[in-house]
Amino acid sequence: MSDDVQKLLQERVERITTTIKIEEPDRVPITSMFETWAGHYSGYSVTDVAFNYDKLAESFYKVAEEFEVDTLPPPLGVRCGPIYTTLGTKEFSFFNKDGVPHASIQHMEGKDIMSVEEYPELIKDPYKFIIEKQLPRRYKALDQAPDKKAEALGKACFIYEKYIANAVGKLCGTLETKYGIPALFKSSTEMPLDALMDYFRGFRGVSVDIRRNKEQVIEACEALYPVMLRRAVQNLPSGPFPFIFIPLHIPTYLKPKDFETFYYPTFKRMIEDLISFDLTPALFMEGNWEPYYDYINELPKKKVVGLIEHGDFKKTKDNIGKTITIWGGMPIDVINNSTKEEAIDYAKKLIDDLAPGGGYIFGCDKSLLAPNDANPENLKAVFKFVKEYGVYK
Amino acid sequence: MSVKYQHITEALAQLEEEALVQALKDAVEAGPSAEEAQDIVNACTMGMERVGDLFEEGEYFVGDLIYAADILKGGMELLAPCIGAGGVSKIGKLVIGSAPGDLHDIGKNIFIAMMEAAGFEVHDLGIDVAPDKFVEKVKEVQPDIVGISGLLTLSLDTMGDVINALKQAGLRDGVKVMIGGNPVSEAVQKRVGADAHSTNAATGVKQCKEWVVA
C-alpha cells in the first residue's frame, strides 16, 4: 500500500469511528449500499456479477474509483450465485426460465417450510430442526438420500470457500490497499423474529401466529437467539468498525405493543451482546420507525448505527440522534426523478438537519440494485456536494 | 346497514377472531334469507372498512391487515353455504398483477383481500405478468381498474410498459390505473402515466372505491 493510500484509509476509518461516537469528524462520511447496481453501472447483469467474481470485483473497483465513498459494503447483497444453483434454492432467483437475468436478484418467500404444528420441534432443538427439516425444504439438493446430500453439501462448502476468498476477501482487500476504502461490514445476522419470518413461517404465518400461538412465537425467538448471535460473532476481528449488518424486516409491520412483546426482547439483547463483544450493530431500519423511537432510546448510547428509510429527519435527529448514529436519508426517488440542483438541495437539508454534533453518515435510503435505481450523474453530484458542504468547521 | 349484524362488524374491526367465528356460526345456523345473507356480507365489509380506517389512523399496522384478511377468509368460508348461486353484489371490477419481472406478491395479496372484502370482483393474474397478459385480461373482463403491484425498484420501469401496452391496445382511457408497492411515489406515478399510486393496501382500496362510486 502506498503512503497516500494508507493515509486515505486512515482518514476514512477515523472519520467513521469518530462519527459513530456521535462526535464531529472532519466531515460527514459518505457511503451507500452499492449492490447489483454496481454491476449494471459497468454493463454487467446480475448473473454476471453473482457468478463471475472477476466481473464483480471490476464493478466494485469502478464504483470505488468514480464515486470515492468513504467505505463500501462487501458485496454480500450480490450473493454467491453458484451456491444457490448447486443446492437448488427454491427462494433466490437470478434469471427467468429462459435464462435471461432479472434486473435485480429476487427473493421469493419460501413456501411450506415449517407448519404451525412444528413449533415445539423448532423450540426444542432449533439446530436439529434447521439441518433435518428446514434446509431440505428450502434446497432441493439437500432433500435427498444422505450420500447425495453429503455430496451436495461438500460441493457447496467448496464453492463457499472460493467465494469468500475471492468475492469478499480479495475484493475488500484490494479496495483497501488500492483505493484506501475500508469495508463497511465484517459480518451479518438477523433478529430472531425476522429469522422466524424469513426462513420458517413467512410473513403471513408470523402475522397470524403472534395472535394464535403467542407463547410459541416468543419461545421460538428465544430458541433461535443463540443461533443468530453465533452467526454474527464467529471468528471476527474485534473493534467497533467495520460494523455488523442487521437488516430489520418485520418491526414496522407490527404495532408498537406487538413489537414490544415479540420483537424487542431478543432485539435488545442481541444489540447489547454484540456491543459487549466490542462490535457495532448497523441496523437497516426499513419502513417508518417513528412509532418505535422510544424503544431505540433504550439501547446503549453511541454504540449503534441505523440506516433510516422514512420519516421527518429533523424529528429523527431530535428524537434518537443522541442514542444512535443516523445513516442514509437520501431518497433514490429524488436522485432519479429530480434535477441535479433539486437533489443537491435535498442533500443540503439532510446535512443541516442531521449532521450537527456528528453521528450522521450520508447515504441513500435504499440499497442500489436495479439498473435505474440511481442516476449516476446526480448521485456523483450529490456526493461531491456533501464532501464540500459536509465539512465540520 | 342492518343493526342486527353490527356485532359482526365490531368483532372483525376489533380483530376478535373467536367472537367473529361464533357470531357467523350463529347467523348461519339461523338460516338467513338471501337478503339477510347479503346483510351479513355487508357487515363483514364494514368491519374490514373499519380495519382500513384504523390502519390509516396509525392504530393498526400491516401485520393487523394480514390477520384481518385471514380471519375474514375463514369467515367467508363459514358463510359460503348461505350465499346463493348469484353470489353477492359487486361494486366494481379489478384486474391486477405483479409488474413484469417482479416475483413478489405479499403486498398484492393483502390488497386483493381488502378489495374483495370491499365488494370488488378481482381478477388476479399472479406474479411477473407480461404487458400483453394485462391487455388480454382487460379486453376479456373490461374492468374498472387495473392494478400493477411491485416490490422491487425494477418494477418502476415495467409498470410503464404495462400502461403503454394498454395505450397501444386502445384500452387505457377505459380504465383507471393504480400502481402500488413500497417503491412507488407521485414522481413515479407521473413518469409511468398511472392515475394513482399507493404504498399501502388501505389507502389503495379507498381510492378504488372513490373511483367506482364517482
Side-chain angles (χ1 to χ4, degrees):
Chain A
M1 205 186 310
S2 74
D3 288 351
D4 285 354
V5 174
Q6 178 72 38
K7 187 167 163 278
L8 199 55
L9 179 66
Q10 235 21 68
E11 275 173 16
R12 284 170 168 157
V13 170
E14 180 70 29
R15 188 171 294 138
I16 295 160
T17 44
T18 306
T19 298
I20 61 175
K21 286 184 226 158
I22 316 194
E23 292 167 14
E24 293 188 353
D26 57 345
R27 72 157 164 82
V28 172
I30 302 169
T31 187
S32 251
M33 290 299 288
F34 287 93
E35 295 188 0
T36 47
W37 183 87
H40 294 300
Y41 185 62
S42 283
Y44 291 133
S45 70
V46 299
T47 325
D48 287 333
V49 290
F51 289 82
N52 182 323
Y53 309 144
D54 290 334
K55 289 178 180 172
L56 173 70
E58 193 191 309
S59 311
F60 271 70
Y61 301 154
K62 189 172 157 82
V63 165
E65 228 159 73
E66 296 190 16
F67 290 86
E68 295 180 44
V69 290
D70 290 301
T71 162
L72 272 173
L76 301 173
V78 175
R79 296 187 181 268
C80 169
I83 208 163
Y84 291 103
T85 43
T86 298
L87 290 177
T89 177
K90 298 178 184 176
E91 294 156 32
F92 288 96
S93 176
F94 297 85
F95 42 82
N96 72 12
K97 59 183 189 316
D98 304 319
V100 179
H102 300 308
S104 56
I105 295 165
Q106 309 213 28
H107 174 262
M108 293 155 293
E109 196 168 66
K111 289 200 170 39
D112 305 319
I113 295 172
M114 174 185 144
S115 72
V116 70
E117 289 79 20
E118 287 176 314
Y119 267 107
E121 218 178 309
L122 171 72
I123 292 162
K124 191 169 164 234
D125 190 342
Y127 192 70
K128 184 164 181 259
F129 186 82
I130 290 169
I131 298 294
E132 291 179 4
K133 300 273 174 76
Q134 186 246 27
L135 287 174
R137 289 171 190 173
R138 297 175 60 210
Y139 295 97
K140 288 178 212 141
L142 300 178
D143 188 16
Q144 313 187 78
D147 57 328
K148 294 273 180 202
K149 193 165 156 175
E151 193 187 320
L153 264 183
K155 264 191 212 161
C157 287
F158 180 73
I159 290 168
Y160 189 68
E161 272 180 28
K162 200 172 148 203
Y163 165 76
I164 290 294
N166 287 284
V168 181
K170 198 170 135 200
L171 189 156
C172 291
T174 306
L175 285 176
E176 274 200 8
T177 54
K178 193 165 169 207
Y179 300 97
I181 295 180
L184 181 57
F185 307 124
K186 56 184 158 194
S187 157
S188 76
T189 190
E190 282 189 30
M191 296 297 174
L193 188 63
D194 286 326
L196 185 68
M197 170 174 84
D198 292 344
Y199 308 123
F200 298 88
R201 289 288 296 145
F203 190 23
R204 191 194 145 270
V206 165
S207 299
V208 302
D209 292 348
I210 64 169
R211 298 175 184 275
R212 294 186 191 141
N213 303 77
K214 190 173 166 175
E215 292 308 320
Q216 286 179 317
V217 172
I218 293 169
E219 285 172 36
C221 288
E222 291 295 335
L224 286 169
Y225 183 78
V227 180
M228 300 317 289
L229 177 65
R230 193 166 54 188
R231 181 179 144 179
V233 300
Q234 255 178 348
N235 303 322
L236 288 184
S238 64
F241 181 76
F243 309 144
I244 309 299
F245 169 57
I246 312 179
L248 311 179
H249 289 157
I250 205 173
T252 57
Y253 300 118
L254 300 176
K255 54 167 149 321
K257 191 171 78 45
D258 292 335
F259 172 87
E260 183 177 323
T261 308
F262 298 99
Y263 197 88
Y264 185 63
T266 45
F267 166 82
K268 183 157 187 266
R269 197 183 319 149
M270 177 75 77
I271 288 169
E272 287 171 349
D273 282 351
L274 292 176
I275 291 168
S276 75
F277 287 107
D278 194 24
L279 299 168
T280 303
L283 311 175
F284 250 44
M285 298 166 71
E286 292 183 6
N288 179 6
W289 273 74
E290 278 181 17
Y292 317 86
Y293 283 167
D294 287 348
Y295 299 103
I296 295 294
N297 277 327
E298 296 292 315
L299 300 177
K301 303 250 180 279
K302 305 180 182 185
K303 297 285 186 188
V304 177
V305 175
L307 187 122
I308 307 284
E309 189 181 359
H310 290 295
D312 169 343
F313 294 108
K314 182 86 179 64
K315 200 168 149 192
T316 308
K317 182 76 173 178
D318 290 346
N319 277 268
I320 55 173
K322 289 186 177 66
T323 305
I324 69 167
T325 286
I326 294 161
W327 168 26
M330 185 72 216
I332 61 171
D333 192 44
V334 173
I335 295 282
N336 281 331
N337 298 308
S338 309
T339 63
K340 204 172 275 183
E341 290 68 32
E342 286 165 341
I344 286 173
D345 278 349
Y346 199 103
K348 180 176 179 295
K349 180 149 191 334
L350 284 174
I351 303 276
D352 290 343
D353 287 347
L354 293 166
Y360 178 52
I361 301 172
F362 184 83
C364 295
D365 61 339
K366 291 178 172 59
S367 297
L368 303 174
L369 309 170
N372 293 334
D373 277 2
N375 170 334
E377 294 318 310
N378 281 2
L379 191 59
K380 281 180 193 170
V382 161
F383 284 172
K384 183 167 174 281
F385 168 78
V386 173
K387 277 187 191 163
E388 290 156 9
Y389 189 71
V391 171
Y392 288 97
K393 291 176 185 99
Chain B
M1 84 160 232
S2 161
V3 184
K4 193 172 162 193
Y5 299 115
Q6 202 168 358
H7 61 297
I8 291 176
T9 301
E10 210 42 40
L12 182 55
Q14 297 307 316
L15 303 178
E16 285 165 3
E17 185 174 18
E18 281 173 31
L20 179 73
V21 168
Q22 195 54 53
L24 289 174
K25 274 186 182 159
D26 291 347
V28 170
E29 267 171 35
S33 67
E35 197 183 322
E36 282 170 326
Q38 181 68 52
D39 283 345
I40 299 170
V41 172
N42 291 346
C44 291
T45 302
M46 295 200 57
M48 206 59 181
E49 205 173 276
R50 272 298 291 149
V51 169
D53 290 343
L54 287 164
F55 176 85
E56 282 193 64
E57 288 160 21
E59 187 71 28
Y60 284 170
F61 285 64
V62 173
D64 302 297
L65 298 183
I66 294 180
Y67 182 62
D70 202 76
I71 61 177
L72 179 64
K73 194 168 161 242
M76 293 317 274
E77 279 163 19
L78 290 174
L79 281 181
C82 318
I83 296 167
V88 294
S89 62
K90 298 291 177 191
I91 62 168
K93 260 189 231 175
L94 168 77
V95 164
I96 188 168
S98 296
D102 203 321
L103 306 179
H104 297 87
D105 62 1
I106 293 176
K108 173 175 72 74
N109 293 342
I110 300 171
F111 178 66
I112 288 175
M114 293 190 68
M115 284 291 278
E116 284 177 338
F120 281 88
E121 178 184 322
V122 178
H123 299 266
D124 179 14
L125 299 171
I127 55 171
D128 183 11
V129 181
D132 56 339
K133 293 268 184 259
F134 274 98
V135 168
E136 218 171 277
K137 200 71 186 173
V138 168
K139 273 186 190 159
E140 182 198 327
V141 305
Q142 302 184 343
D144 306 285
I145 300 159
V146 173
I148 317 168
S149 169
L151 172 75
L152 298 174
T153 43
L154 65 88
S155 66
L156 301 180
D157 292 323
T158 61
M159 284 171 174
D161 299 341
V162 174
I163 295 172
N164 286 335
L166 290 173
K167 273 185 197 153
Q168 275 167 15
L171 300 166
R172 176 66 185 89
D173 295 339
V175 293
K176 294 284 188 188
V177 177
M178 157 98 63
I179 55 171
N182 185 53
V184 303
S185 66
E186 188 153 357
V188 174
Q189 178 193 323
K190 279 190 189 141
R191 198 175 79 205
V192 301
D195 296 306
H197 73 280
S198 178
T199 53
N200 71 74
T203 53
V205 172
K206 206 169 211 180
Q207 175 65 66
C208 290
K209 282 204 286 200
E210 277 172 26
W211 278 336
V212 293
V213 169

PDB file of all heavy atoms in Angstrom, chain A residues 67-84:
ATOM      1  N   PHE A  67     -16.892   7.041  -7.537  1.00  0.00           N
ATOM      2  CA  PHE A  67     -17.789   7.645  -6.531  1.00  0.00           C
ATOM      3  C   PHE A  67     -17.056   8.076  -5.256  1.00  0.00           C
ATOM      4  O   PHE A  67     -17.597   8.832  -4.466  1.00  0.00           O
ATOM      5  CB  PHE A  67     -18.950   6.700  -6.213  1.00  0.00           C
ATOM      6  CG  PHE A  67     -19.917   6.563  -7.360  1.00  0.00           C
ATOM      7  CD1 PHE A  67     -19.707   5.629  -8.366  1.00  0.00           C
ATOM      8  CD2 PHE A  67     -21.023   7.394  -7.457  1.00  0.00           C
ATOM      9  CE1 PHE A  67     -20.581   5.519  -9.449  1.00  0.00           C
ATOM     10  CE2 PHE A  67     -21.906   7.291  -8.525  1.00  0.00           C
ATOM     11  CZ  PHE A  67     -21.682   6.348  -9.527  1.00  0.00           C
ATOM     12  N   GLU A  68     -15.846   7.546  -5.072  1.00  0.00           N
ATOM     13  CA  GLU A  68     -14.991   7.960  -3.952  1.00  0.00           C
ATOM     14  C   GLU A  68     -15.724   8.049  -2.613  1.00  0.00           C
ATOM     15  O   GLU A  68     -15.656   9.057  -1.912  1.00  0.00           O
ATOM     16  CB  GLU A  68     -14.330   9.307  -4.265  1.00  0.00           C
ATOM     17  CG  GLU A  68     -13.374   9.216  -5.438  1.00  0.00           C
ATOM     18  CD  GLU A  68     -12.719  10.556  -5.731  1.00  0.00           C
ATOM     19  OE1 GLU A  68     -12.306  11.229  -4.775  1.00  0.00           O
ATOM     20  OE2 GLU A  68     -12.657  10.914  -6.919  1.00  0.00           O
ATOM     21  N   VAL A  69     -16.441   6.989  -2.286  1.00  0.00           N
ATOM     22  CA  VAL A  69     -17.128   6.956  -0.985  1.00  0.00           C
ATOM     23  C   VAL A  69     -16.129   6.595   0.111  1.00  0.00           C
ATOM     24  O   VAL A  69     -15.026   6.133  -0.184  1.00  0.00           O
ATOM     25  CB  VAL A  69     -18.290   5.947  -1.007  1.00  0.00           C
ATOM     26  CG1 VAL A  69     -19.417   6.444  -1.877  1.00  0.00           C
ATOM     27  CG2 VAL A  69     -17.813   4.581  -1.461  1.00  0.00           C
ATOM     28  N   ASP A  70     -16.519   6.800   1.361  1.00  0.00           N
ATOM     29  CA  ASP A  70     -15.586   6.557   2.466  1.00  0.00           C
ATOM     30  C   ASP A  70     -15.478   5.096   2.858  1.00  0.00           C
ATOM     31  O   ASP A  70     -14.501   4.680   3.472  1.00  0.00           O
ATOM     32  CB  ASP A  70     -16.006   7.393   3.683  1.00  0.00           C
ATOM     33  CG  ASP A  70     -15.760   8.861   3.432  1.00  0.00           C
ATOM     34  OD1 ASP A  70     -14.595   9.220   3.172  1.00  0.00           O
ATOM     35  OD2 ASP A  70     -16.726   9.648   3.470  1.00  0.00           O
ATOM     36  N   THR A  71     -16.501   4.328   2.540  1.00  0.00           N
ATOM     37  CA  THR A  71     -16.467   2.899   2.830  1.00  0.00           C
ATOM     38  C   THR A  71     -17.480   2.224   1.906  1.00  0.00           C
ATOM     39  O   THR A  71     -18.433   2.869   1.465  1.00  0.00           O
ATOM     40  CB  THR A  71     -16.783   2.617   4.327  1.00  0.00           C
ATOM     41  OG1 THR A  71     -17.142   1.244   4.491  1.00  0.00           O
ATOM     42  CG2 THR A  71     -17.917   3.472   4.851  1.00  0.00           C
ATOM     43  N   LEU A  72     -17.252   0.975   1.595  1.00  0.00           N
ATOM     44  CA  LEU A  72     -18.178   0.245   0.722  1.00  0.00           C
ATOM     45  C   LEU A  72     -18.594  -1.062   1.385  1.00  0.00           C
ATOM     46  O   LEU A  72     -17.770  -1.715   2.033  1.00  0.00           O
ATOM     47  CB  LEU A  72     -17.504  -0.084  -0.616  1.00  0.00           C
ATOM     48  CG  LEU A  72     -17.582   0.952  -1.729  1.00  0.00           C
ATOM     49  CD1 LEU A  72     -16.703   0.517  -2.903  1.00  0.00           C
ATOM     50  CD2 LEU A  72     -19.017   1.164  -2.202  1.00  0.00           C
ATOM     51  N   PRO A  73     -19.858  -1.456   1.205  1.00  0.00           N
ATOM     52  CA  PRO A  73     -20.259  -2.747   1.762  1.00  0.00           C
ATOM     53  C   PRO A  73     -19.584  -3.873   1.002  1.00  0.00           C
ATOM     54  O   PRO A  73     -19.410  -3.772  -0.208  1.00  0.00           O
ATOM     55  CB  PRO A  73     -21.776  -2.781   1.518  1.00  0.00           C
ATOM     56  CG  PRO A  73     -22.004  -1.863   0.370  1.00  0.00           C
ATOM     57  CD  PRO A  73     -20.947  -0.805   0.458  1.00  0.00           C
ATOM     58  N   PRO A  74     -19.171  -4.950   1.699  1.00  0.00           N
ATOM     59  CA  PRO A  74     -18.747  -6.124   0.938  1.00  0.00           C
ATOM     60  C   PRO A  74     -19.947  -6.579   0.098  1.00  0.00           C
ATOM     61  O   PRO A  74     -21.087  -6.356   0.511  1.00  0.00           O
ATOM     62  CB  PRO A  74     -18.398  -7.156   2.007  1.00  0.00           C
ATOM     63  CG  PRO A  74     -18.824  -6.587   3.311  1.00  0.00           C
ATOM     64  CD  PRO A  74     -19.231  -5.166   3.126  1.00  0.00           C
ATOM     65  N   PRO A  75     -19.715  -7.179  -1.064  1.00  0.00           N
ATOM     66  CA  PRO A  75     -20.826  -7.401  -1.998  1.00  0.00           C
ATOM     67  C   PRO A  75     -21.741  -8.551  -1.592  1.00  0.00           C
ATOM     68  O   PRO A  75     -22.130  -9.364  -2.408  1.00  0.00           O
ATOM     69  CB  PRO A  75     -20.112  -7.702  -3.306  1.00  0.00           C
ATOM     70  CG  PRO A  75     -18.826  -8.300  -2.893  1.00  0.00           C
ATOM     71  CD  PRO A  75     -18.440  -7.665  -1.593  1.00  0.00           C
ATOM     72  N   LEU A  76     -22.090  -8.637  -0.318  1.00  0.00           N
ATOM     73  CA  LEU A  76     -22.901  -9.769   0.156  1.00  0.00           C
ATOM     74  C   LEU A  76     -24.295  -9.764  -0.467  1.00  0.00           C
ATOM     75  O   LEU A  76     -24.885 -10.810  -0.689  1.00  0.00           O
ATOM     76  CB  LEU A  76     -23.012  -9.730   1.684  1.00  0.00           C
ATOM     77  CG  LEU A  76     -21.663  -9.797   2.424  1.00  0.00           C
ATOM     78  CD1 LEU A  76     -21.861  -9.591   3.916  1.00  0.00           C
ATOM     79  CD2 LEU A  76     -20.967 -11.123   2.154  1.00  0.00           C
ATOM     80  N   GLY A  77     -24.794  -8.554  -0.768  1.00  0.00           N
ATOM     81  CA  GLY A  77     -26.124  -8.448  -1.355  1.00  0.00           C
ATOM     82  C   GLY A  77     -26.169  -8.960  -2.795  1.00  0.00           C
ATOM     83  O   GLY A  77     -27.238  -9.266  -3.309  1.00  0.00           O
ATOM     84  N   VAL A  78     -25.002  -9.040  -3.428  1.00  0.00           N
ATOM     85  CA  VAL A  78     -24.952  -9.593  -4.788  1.00  0.00           C
ATOM     86  C   VAL A  78     -25.140 -11.116  -4.712  1.00  0.00           C
ATOM     87  O   VAL A  78     -25.652 -11.742  -5.618  1.00  0.00           O
ATOM     88  CB  VAL A  78     -23.613  -9.240  -5.469  1.00  0.00           C
ATOM     89  CG1 VAL A  78     -23.492  -9.917  -6.825  1.00  0.00           C
ATOM     90  CG2 VAL A  78     -23.478  -7.726  -5.615  1.00  0.00           C
ATOM     91  N   ARG A  79     -24.744 -11.662  -3.593  1.00  0.00           N
ATOM     92  CA  ARG A  79     -24.880 -13.090  -3.295  1.00  0.00           C
ATOM     93  C   ARG A  79     -24.011 -13.969  -4.178  1.00  0.00           C
ATOM     94  O   ARG A  79     -23.587 -13.583  -5.251  1.00  0.00           O
ATOM     95  CB  ARG A  79     -26.339 -13.548  -3.376  1.00  0.00           C
ATOM     96  CG  ARG A  79     -27.168 -12.869  -2.317  1.00  0.00           C
ATOM     97  CD  ARG A  79     -28.575 -13.372  -2.219  1.00  0.00           C
ATOM     98  NE  ARG A  79     -29.242 -12.609  -1.177  1.00  0.00           N
ATOM     99  CZ  ARG A  79     -29.292 -12.988   0.094  1.00  0.00           C
ATOM    100  NH1 ARG A  79     -28.771 -14.132   0.462  1.00  0.00           N
ATOM    101  NH2 ARG A  79     -29.873 -12.223   0.978  1.00  0.00           N
ATOM    102  N   CYS A  80     -23.791 -15.161  -3.648  1.00  0.00           N
ATOM    103  CA  CYS A  80     -22.963 -16.142  -4.341  1.00  0.00           C
ATOM    104  C   CYS A  80     -23.885 -16.983  -5.214  1.00  0.00           C
ATOM    105  O   CYS A  80     -24.556 -17.890  -4.733  1.00  0.00           O
ATOM    106  CB  CYS A  80     -22.253 -16.999  -3.295  1.00  0.00           C
ATOM    107  SG  CYS A  80     -21.431 -18.437  -3.964  1.00  0.00           S
ATOM    108  N   GLY A  81     -23.904 -16.703  -6.504  1.00  0.00           N
ATOM    109  CA  GLY A  81     -24.803 -17.410  -7.423  1.00  0.00           C
ATOM    110  C   GLY A  81     -24.642 -18.923  -7.430  1.00  0.00           C
ATOM    111  O   GLY A  81     -25.618 -19.655  -7.255  1.00  0.00           O
ATOM    112  N   PRO A  82     -23.396 -19.411  -7.616  1.00  0.00           N
ATOM    113  CA  PRO A  82     -23.221 -20.867  -7.779  1.00  0.00           C
ATOM    114  C   PRO A  82     -23.742 -21.688  -6.599  1.00  0.00           C
ATOM    115  O   PRO A  82     -24.207 -22.797  -6.780  1.00  0.00           O
ATOM    116  CB  PRO A  82     -21.698 -21.025  -7.907  1.00  0.00           C
ATOM    117  CG  PRO A  82     -21.193 -19.687  -8.317  1.00  0.00           C
ATOM    118  CD  PRO A  82     -22.132 -18.668  -7.768  1.00  0.00           C
ATOM    119  N   ILE A  83     -23.659 -21.120  -5.391  1.00  0.00           N
ATOM    120  CA  ILE A  83     -24.078 -21.917  -4.241  1.00  0.00           C
ATOM    121  C   ILE A  83     -25.590 -22.173  -4.299  1.00  0.00           C
ATOM    122  O   ILE A  83     -26.078 -23.250  -3.946  1.00  0.00           O
ATOM    123  CB  ILE A  83     -23.640 -21.242  -2.918  1.00  0.00           C
ATOM    124  CG1 ILE A  83     -23.441 -22.309  -1.849  1.00  0.00           C
ATOM    125  CG2 ILE A  83     -24.635 -20.222  -2.420  1.00  0.00           C
ATOM    126  CD1 ILE A  83     -22.645 -21.824  -0.668  1.00  0.00           C
ATOM    127  N   TYR A  84     -26.329 -21.197  -4.787  1.00  0.00           N
ATOM    128  CA  TYR A  84     -27.785 -21.359  -4.849  1.00  0.00           C
ATOM    129  C   TYR A  84     -28.199 -22.327  -5.953  1.00  0.00           C
ATOM    130  O   TYR A  84     -29.128 -23.111  -5.781  1.00  0.00           O
ATOM    131  CB  TYR A  84     -28.460 -19.995  -5.047  1.00  0.00           C
ATOM    132  CG  TYR A  84     -28.348 -19.111  -3.833  1.00  0.00           C
ATOM    133  CD1 TYR A  84     -27.438 -18.063  -3.776  1.00  0.00           C
ATOM    134  CD2 TYR A  84     -29.138 -19.351  -2.718  1.00  0.00           C
ATOM    135  CE1 TYR A  84     -27.328 -17.271  -2.653  1.00  0.00           C
ATOM    136  CE2 TYR A  84     -29.036 -18.566  -1.577  1.00  0.00           C
ATOM    137  CZ  TYR A  84     -28.131 -17.516  -1.555  1.00  0.00           C
ATOM    138  OH  TYR A  84     -28.015 -16.743  -0.438  1.00  0.00           O
TER     139      TYR A  84
END
